[in-house]
Amino acid sequence: MSTPEQNSKLLYWAGVALGPAAWATNLQGVYVITHFACHNTASSSLVIGTILILVALAGSLLSARAVYRGAGSEWADARGGGPRTFMAWLGVGSGMLFALVIANQLIAASMVNSCLR
């Protein structure tokens, strides 16, 4: 397998991998920042959460781009390209779902006082 072909196959998995990774980073980051957020008034959890929402959405966009870029190659592929397309669409949905989960956690973290946690 050539390197460009391998890189293009990794784009199909971008949403599947980046969405859960961003959520896990957000979850652990909120727990780490809680102690420091109580003593400081900086809204660092809002900044980190927003960045990780963008990371999850970027994974979705990469997976969607892989679908649209490789749509014509399904006919040229002897196997039909079905599994890769399925994983790419699963990545699009997964990235959007995890971006929504991060946004919900971000809203909850902004409503609750940091010193009470």
Side-chain angles (χ1 to χ4, degrees):
M1 178 182 333
S2 65
T3 304
E5 183 180 340
Q6 183 179 9
N7 290 339
S8 67
K9 286 185 180 181
L10 289 177
L11 289 178
Y12 287 93
W13 288 85
V16 176
L18 287 178
W23 170 73
T25 305
N26 180 55
L27 184 65
Q28 294 302 315
V30 166
Y31 285 126
V32 169
I33 291 175
T34 300
H35 176 69
F36 302 111
C38 180
H39 301 296
N40 299 329
T41 59
S43 58
S44 56
S45 63
L46 295 175
V47 173
I48 291 174
T50 304
I51 290 170
L52 291 172
I53 287 172
L54 294 176
V55 168
L57 290 176
S60 290
L61 289 175
L62 286 173
S63 291
R65 184 173 178 220
V67 169
Y68 289 123
R69 189 175 59 184
S73 68
E74 289 181 13
W75 297 103
D77 190 7
R79 294 179 295 177
R84 282 185 283 168
T85 305
F86 173 74
M87 287 310 297
W89 280 116
L90 186 67
V92 170
S94 175
M96 289 184 184
L97 178 68
F98 279 104
L100 182 63
V101 168
I102 294 169
N104 286 335
Q105 287 179 342
L106 187 65
I107 291 169
S110 66
M111 288 182 168
V112 176
N113 187 1
S114 301
C115 297
L116 296 177
R117 292 187 232 169

